[in-house]
Amino acid sequence: SISGDTGVIHVVEKEEDLRWVLVDGPTPPYMILLDGSLFSRKVLLQLKGTSRVSGLAVAIAKPSPPQGFSPGLKCPNDGFGVYSKDYGPEFAHCNTTLWNPLGSGISYEDFDFPIFLLEDANETQVIKQCYLDHNVPGDGSAPEYPLCAMQLFSHMHAVTSTVTCMRRSSLQSTFSINPEIVCDPLLDYNVWSTLQPINASGKVHPEKEVVMVATRIDSHSFFWNIAPGAESAVSSFVTHLAVAQALHKVPDVHLLPRNVMFTFFQGETFDYIGSSRMVYDMEQDKFPLGLGNIHSFVELNQVALRNGSILWMHTDPVSRMNESVNAQVQILLDTLKRSSAGSGLTLQEAGFSQPLPPSSFQRFLRARHIPGVVLTDHRTAFHNRYYQSLYDTPENIGMEYPEGLSPEEALEYVTDTAKALAQVATVVARALYNLAGGNSSTSAIQADPTTVTRMLYGFLIKMNNSWFQSIIKPDLKGILGDVPQHYVAVSSPVNTTYMVQYVLTNLTGTVVNLTKEECLNPEKNPHTEKELYEYFWTQGPLGANSSSRVPTCVRSGARLSKALSPAFELRRWDSTEYSTWTESRWKDIRARIFLVASRDMEVLTLVLGIAILLLSLLTTYFINAKADVLFSLPQDPGAVAY
């Protein structure tokens, strides 16, 4: 509702409490304070479609629900991957493997009442106390007035669908001087760089081969801007960053016959926004590389919840029916297996008849048969019980810190999770070196667990830490919030995108001796290589025994490319080929609690108010009618003659 949704508060801590809301309660509509452990599809569907519920406030469950909780689909990104009625129909719609069996799909349901999340336990307690003081039924009878009520404000301007809201926004933009846009496409930027520098404004020679490494950097949950994504996103892109650092340290990488491209896709949760846009740009010659340049493809998916030492290698059984592709895939698999020797990690094939899990690689396969592999910690269904949920937190991937550590000590503390991910990064880096044509021993290629633990801390626990502060531009320090979230959003780039770019710059770039003016305007210096590199003026670390920083200029190949679905470029808002997700605009999201009187008292107050108004009007009328009598001035006495 544009004026907010209001209802009498009722606390639901067990399913039996719902009966009062749905059947017995005499004072509907109700605003439910729901225990987080009950937030499920079964409960929500009971509340959906009844006029007795005006809103829902969900108290976050602590600890996380042991049975798992995933509001996503059982078959994530269904219909936008490679499998369809025309390509591997037996694998389409997860017919062979149900990847997310715990998925309830509630993120994709339409609810006609607002649903808020209460993360602060103190706020939850205040609402509960108000309920206990005023709303608790006594022996089955209705509580007496006044009752504690809640009002939730979350009016959304967009309606119906992307097609409708984009059409309305387009009409407003065309014919109105001050257009009122009602929704925006999900938009951000992919982050990419290459092992050997390339001219970002030109085109790579068609004969130059590139090994592409990819991962996603976004996550999602039922609630807006709450997306910790520890297993679904962070574990993989942190491992990917560690791979990039390990490879850049190898002395002979500039001599490798093949280049390596490190790619971090945004918006993948919403039907592969980032990867579909990069494929589109490659097809339209709007990207330095073309699809023909890709020699092979390695994707890091969910990798933090391994069973023992096993990491699974998934390939596409349909493209492998081609003998040439199958031979190249087999070389890829053998290289990965050899690279794991002595690492404490075992790489196993998921099976020739097993389809690819939801992955960015699928969007590239839609355009071209590319040899590729997707690395995961699961052979079939996800090990992640909290996929696309607010409970996919550091605890979900086993990050534990000793009690009493200061923030600085926690930043440097190497967790077991960091060690395990560094193992994965080491194996992948060694494999990539060989795939790129390297012939030297790979035993010296090692990912750094300390760097991995810093990244995990920064991207999952506290973004505003001393390391992140030292590697960003001075004018971007405001993006370092306390609790990181990895939602793609519509205002871009989001802080995750910025930080992935700056961490990649820090791990793979080179400090150069340039002044601030030269660093910010490299085109003015004839000795810079603006076509091959980006130049970043960073805050730098704190000086020794000083509170001031020592800024530095870092040269790096880390760049951004747009992650906006091609559907919006093509104005095909009903596309089934490309993602069409939009986000509604709104003006205010807030809540308040207050006491509400009985209906009889409200009617009595209204009647008395009307009576007083009428009496006031009548009094004003009579005073105005008799004003000449009531407010007449005394007559001046005439002149007196003597």
Side-chain angles (χ1 to χ4, degrees):
S1 167
I2 196 168
S3 58
D5 296 89
T6 306
V8 174
I9 295 172
H10 191 75
V11 175
V12 175
E13 295 180 325
K14 53 185 184 297
E15 281 198 50
E16 291 76 16
D17 296 337
L18 288 172
R19 180 172 177 82
W20 181 267
V21 172
L22 299 174
V23 181
D24 297 337
T27 55
Y30 286 97
M31 191 67 68
I32 299 174
L33 175 60
L34 186 70
D35 187 273
S37 61
L38 294 176
F39 187 60
S40 64
R41 182 179 182 85
K42 178 184 176 183
V43 169
L44 285 176
L45 291 186
Q46 289 183 66
L47 305 179
K48 185 177 179 179
T50 173
S51 60
R52 292 178 62 88
V53 176
S54 59
L56 191 62
V58 182
I60 192 168
K62 293 183 179 179
S64 303
Q67 72 275 16
F69 173 74
S70 173
L73 297 171
K74 292 182 183 295
C75 189
N77 292 4
D78 187 23
F80 290 88
V82 69
Y83 302 113
S84 65
K85 61 182 176 62
D86 301 316
Y87 187 99
E90 67 273 26
F91 305 125
H93 313 300
C94 297
N95 285 335
T96 304
T97 304
L98 199 61
W99 296 106
N100 186 31
L102 292 176
S104 64
I106 57 173
S107 286
Y108 302 87
E109 292 282 348
D110 179 25
F111 297 97
D112 57 1
F113 50 81
I115 304 177
F116 280 35
L117 176 68
L118 299 175
E119 294 183 272
D120 190 334
N122 293 328
E123 290 180 351
T124 304
Q125 189 54 44
V126 167
I127 298 171
K128 279 187 178 181
Q129 194 58 53
C130 189
Y131 165 80
L132 293 172
D133 292 343
H134 300 279
N135 295 11
V136 177
D139 299 325
S141 61
E144 296 182 359
Y145 285 94
L147 298 176
C148 188
M150 182 187 295
Q151 188 172 29
L152 303 179
F153 297 86
S154 63
H155 178 66
M156 298 289 152
H157 296 300
V159 294
T160 310
S161 66
T162 288
V163 173
T164 302
C165 81
M166 288 300 293
R167 185 177 65 245
R168 291 182 180 180
S169 295
S170 178
L171 289 171
Q172 285 272 343
S173 300
T174 304
F175 297 109
S176 175
I177 298 174
N178 297 306
E180 185 175 342
I181 307 301
V182 295
C183 69
D184 301 281
L186 294 184
L187 162 68
D188 209 274
Y189 289 85
N190 300 321
V191 182
W192 66 278
S193 75
T194 51
L195 191 60
Q196 300 164 356
I198 63 171
N199 186 343
S201 59
K203 287 291 294 181
V204 172
H205 192 277
E207 299 299 318
K208 180 64 176 177
E209 292 184 324
V210 176
V211 180
M212 193 167 184
V213 198
T215 191
R216 67 175 59 190
I217 58 176
D218 69 302
S219 188
H220 178 43
S221 81
F222 185 88
F223 299 98
W224 177 79
N225 209 30
I226 305 293
E231 161 74 339
S232 61
V234 178
S235 68
S236 56
F237 76 68
V238 161
T239 305
H240 189 170
L241 288 164
V243 169
Q245 182 193 32
L247 272 179
H248 272 269
K249 289 180 177 178
V250 179
D252 64 343
V253 289
H254 62 287
L255 301 174
L256 295 175
R258 299 188 187 100
N259 207 343
V260 178
M261 179 177 174
F262 308 101
T263 316
F264 302 81
F265 292 120
Q266 260 288 16
E268 295 300 273
T269 302
F270 294 94
D271 300 332
Y272 305 120
I273 293 174
S275 56
S276 63
R277 179 52 186 262
M278 185 169 283
V279 171
Y280 174 80
D281 286 345
M282 286 180 173
E283 291 175 326
Q284 301 297 317
D285 288 331
K286 296 179 180 179
F287 196 78
L289 291 111
L291 290 169
N293 292 114
I294 302 176
H295 167 267
S296 51
F297 197 106
V298 177
E299 180 169 353
L300 286 159
N301 211 301
Q302 302 179 78
V303 292
L305 296 177
R306 305 196 312 258
N307 277 340
S309 63
I310 299 176
L311 202 63
W312 295 96
M313 301 182 293
H314 300 262
T315 57
D316 172 41
V318 180
S319 61
R320 289 184 70 181
M321 292 178 183
N322 179 297
E323 289 186 13
S324 173
V325 173
N326 184 51
Q328 291 175 288
V329 170
Q330 197 58 55
I331 292 171
L332 185 55
L333 297 173
D334 291 343
T335 303
L336 282 162
K337 287 179 182 176
R338 284 197 308 272
S339 300
S340 67
S343 68
L345 203 61
T346 303
L347 271 73
Q348 293 187 12
E349 294 183 49
F352 190 84
S353 60
Q354 178 83 5
L356 288 169
S359 52
S360 305
F361 180 41
Q362 292 199 30
R363 291 301 304 194
F364 285 81
L365 277 177
R366 283 179 67 137
R368 187 184 180 93
H369 280 179
I370 299 171
V373 62
V374 178
L375 300 177
T376 72
D377 54 22
H378 55 88
R379 181 178 181 274
T380 53
F382 296 161
H383 289 168
N384 186 4
R385 294 173 298 149
Y386 305 108
Y387 183 73
Q388 290 186 1
S389 102
L390 71 164
Y391 301 114
D392 191 5
T393 58
E395 292 77 18
N396 184 37
I397 60 172
M399 284 179 62
E400 296 179 349
Y401 294 89
E403 291 185 11
L405 292 185
S406 67
E408 201 62 30
E409 290 169 335
L411 175 67
E412 301 293 337
Y413 179 79
V414 180
T415 62
D416 291 339
T417 303
K419 294 175 185 176
L421 293 181
Q423 268 187 323
V424 177
T426 297
V427 170
V428 174
R430 291 174 178 178
L432 290 173
Y433 176 78
N434 288 325
L435 288 169
N439 295 316
S440 303
S441 170
T442 59
S443 59
I445 300 177
Q446 292 281 346
D448 181 17
T450 302
T451 303
V452 173
T453 210
R454 283 180 172 184
M455 290 190 285
L456 288 173
Y457 182 84
F459 284 112
L460 286 174
I461 295 175
K462 187 177 178 64
M463 203 168 251
N464 193 11
N465 62 72
S466 60
W467 184 46
F468 277 13
Q469 289 167 6
S470 70
I471 65 176
I472 64 169
K473 289 181 178 180
D475 58 344
L476 288 179
K477 58 186 177 183
I479 70 171
L480 297 178
D482 276 339
V483 181
Q485 301 298 343
H486 308 294
Y487 175 66
V488 57
V490 295
S491 56
S492 58
V494 295
N495 55 4
T496 302
T497 303
Y498 272 130
M499 289 316 307
V500 168
Q501 184 187 21
Y502 278 91
V503 170
L504 184 61
T505 296
N506 178 266
L507 298 182
T508 64
T510 305
V511 175
V512 290
N513 187 24
L514 295 177
T515 65
K516 181 179 181 180
E517 180 66 23
E518 291 172 329
C519 192
L520 296 177
N521 302 283
E523 66 278 357
K524 295 181 180 180
N525 188 325
H527 302 294
T528 59
E529 300 172 284
K530 178 63 177 171
E531 298 81 12
L532 300 179
Y533 299 103
E534 296 284 331
Y535 291 81
F536 301 88
W537 184 255
T538 64
Q539 291 196 121
L542 291 172
N545 303 318
S546 171
S547 59
S548 60
R549 296 187 175 277
V550 182
T552 56
C553 183
V554 182
R555 185 187 71 186
S556 167
R559 294 182 170 92
L560 301 179
S561 66
K562 187 176 285 188
L564 170 68
S565 171
F568 298 101
E569 295 275 323
L570 302 169
R571 296 178 68 86
R572 285 164 43 190
W573 302 321
D574 60 348
S575 173
T576 56
E577 181 182 2
Y578 298 114
S579 170
T580 56
W581 283 99
T582 53
E583 182 179 283
S584 174
R585 288 198 178 184
W586 65 87
K587 288 183 178 175
D588 198 15
I589 291 182
R590 58 191 172 91
R592 64 182 183 127
I593 60 173
F594 53 91
L595 295 180
V596 62
S598 67
R599 183 56 57 87
D600 292 343
M601 180 61 72
E602 289 176 341
V603 171
L604 177 60
T605 303
L606 178 63
V607 170
L608 285 174
I610 293 172
I612 292 171
L613 174 63
L614 293 175
L615 181 61
S616 301
L617 292 173
L618 192 61
T619 303
T620 303
Y621 172 77
F622 279 112
I623 290 174
N624 188 57
K626 300 296 182 181
D628 55 337
V629 176
L630 295 173
F631 305 110
S632 61
L633 295 173
Q635 304 241 344
D636 290 339
V640 179
Y642 292 96

